[in-house]
Amino acid sequence: MFQTDLLKGRTILITGGGTGLGRAMALRFAELGASLFLVGRREDPLKQTTRDIIAKGARAAWFSADIRDFAAVEKLLDAAEKEFGRPFGGIDTLVNNAAGNFIARTEKLSPNAFNAVVGIVLHGAFHCTLALGRRWIAAKQPGTVLNIVTTYADANCGSGFVVPSACAKAGVLAMTRSLAVEWARHHIRLNAIAPGPFPTEGAFSRLVPSKELEERARNHHPMKRFGRPEELANLAAYLVSEQAGYVNGECVVIDGGEWINGAGEFNHFTDMSDADWDAMEAARKK
Ligand code: COA
């Protein structure tokens, strides 16, 4: 799909880069010539993905940090500097991908459960964006931020049973659009991707925790399939690349039409059989 040097010379920090969609993006960006700095809480997946990237012939390093803590984010940029031998590791692209989420009835949640999700998703994304944005502005160098949100992040939509995540992701989208304007004069672009259902271990074990629920979700989907991680990774590669240099403050939905399926008044007619249609048309002619 792309020239193999699309991201040559670029250094990309991905939070939650050891697993799931973060890992898929990391591997794809490496194929396209980028160096990767992977951040997350669990060391084992970070080490494994770093090894896999190096095996492809690209440069990669990892650092374990909890991005809810701003001091930890500052420390991870010091670590990037040591790893790559340049101020803040020469990082020019940030992908805010780390997330926390669980399905729950909201009345059963503790305040700390809300804090846990909002801390990772909203505060974490803000901490990383602030720490790098300050450095890019001080160094007078351009930067790119890609925020992985979700289709229910749109404040006009939201979603029941994932209220902390809906609040946090709506905040990340607001940050994307706000800073896209405020920091455009510093040549910093911010965009977002809103993925629909992508079957990753982290998300599906929490959000679609049984085969029956998975089947129900697939049947409900207009394309009758889930997304493939490489489909999202290719969109991400485009958005962080120079080819998308005039795309700023945008949120691109990648969900196979799932989101708008719920919006159209008559979309549930896709369930009707030919016999149902014949009966309806016959009734209309009367
Ligand atoms: N339902 C309700 N409450 C829950 C919960 C669930 N499934 N899982 C955790 N909580 C609550 C805990 O009870 C705790 O509240 P309390 O202190 O009042 O009891 C609070 O959330 C924090 O839990 P803890 O396990 O200490 O937090 P953590 O920081 O270690 O983990 C999570 C954060 C909860 C978001 C955890 O699921 C996580 O780390 N997820 C990362 C990966 C992920 O979610 N990926 C999905 C992306 S779609």
Side-chain angles (χ1 to χ4, degrees), residues 9-13 88 90-94 132 136 141-145:
R10 301 283 296 275
T11 304
I12 303 180
L13 188 166
F88 50 92
I91 293 163
D92 51 54
T93 303
L94 164 66
L132 272 165
W136 290 333
Q141 77 163 68
T144 303
V145 179

Side-chain angles (χ1 to χ4, degrees), residues 41 68 99-104 108-113 116-117 120 202-203 206-207:
R41 280 183 293 169
R68 287 177 282 196
N101 199 0
F102 40 71
I103 294 269
K108 305 265 182 202
L109 291 181
S110 71
N112 199 37
V117 172
I120 297 169
R206 291 175 176 88
L207 305 179

Side-chain angles (χ1 to χ4, degrees), residues 93-223:
T93 303
L94 164 66
V95 181
N96 284 312
N97 165 75
N101 199 0
F102 40 71
I103 294 269
R105 287 163 294 174
T106 306
E107 68 274 19
K108 305 265 182 202
L109 291 181
S110 71
N112 199 37
F114 186 84
N115 285 344
V117 172
V118 173
I120 297 169
V121 175
L122 180 56
H123 294 200
F126 181 71
H127 290 159
C128 296
T129 306
L130 179 69
L132 272 165
R134 278 178 174 168
R135 285 167 173 80
W136 290 333
I137 292 167
K140 294 189 175 13
Q141 77 163 68
T144 303
V145 179
L146 180 64
N147 294 322
I148 307 302
V149 293
T150 167
T151 43
Y152 58 75
D154 195 301
N156 292 324
C157 162
S159 176
F161 308 105
V162 284
V163 165
S165 168
C167 296
K169 296 279 193 180
V172 174
L173 194 51
M175 177 180 79
T176 309
R177 291 174 172 150
S178 307
L179 281 179
V181 174
E182 187 180 334
W183 283 356
R185 68 189 193 280
H186 298 299
H187 308 287
I188 297 171
R189 279 193 306 122
L190 294 97
N191 289 297
I193 292 179
F198 281 80
T200 61
E201 163 65 25
F204 267 44
S205 64
R206 291 175 176 88
L207 305 179
V208 196
S210 75
K211 281 282 154 209
E212 194 198 329
L213 284 172
E214 189 175 319
E215 217 28 59
R216 212 201 289 178
R218 194 182 286 107
N219 280 332
H220 185 67
H221 193 285
M223 292 175 79

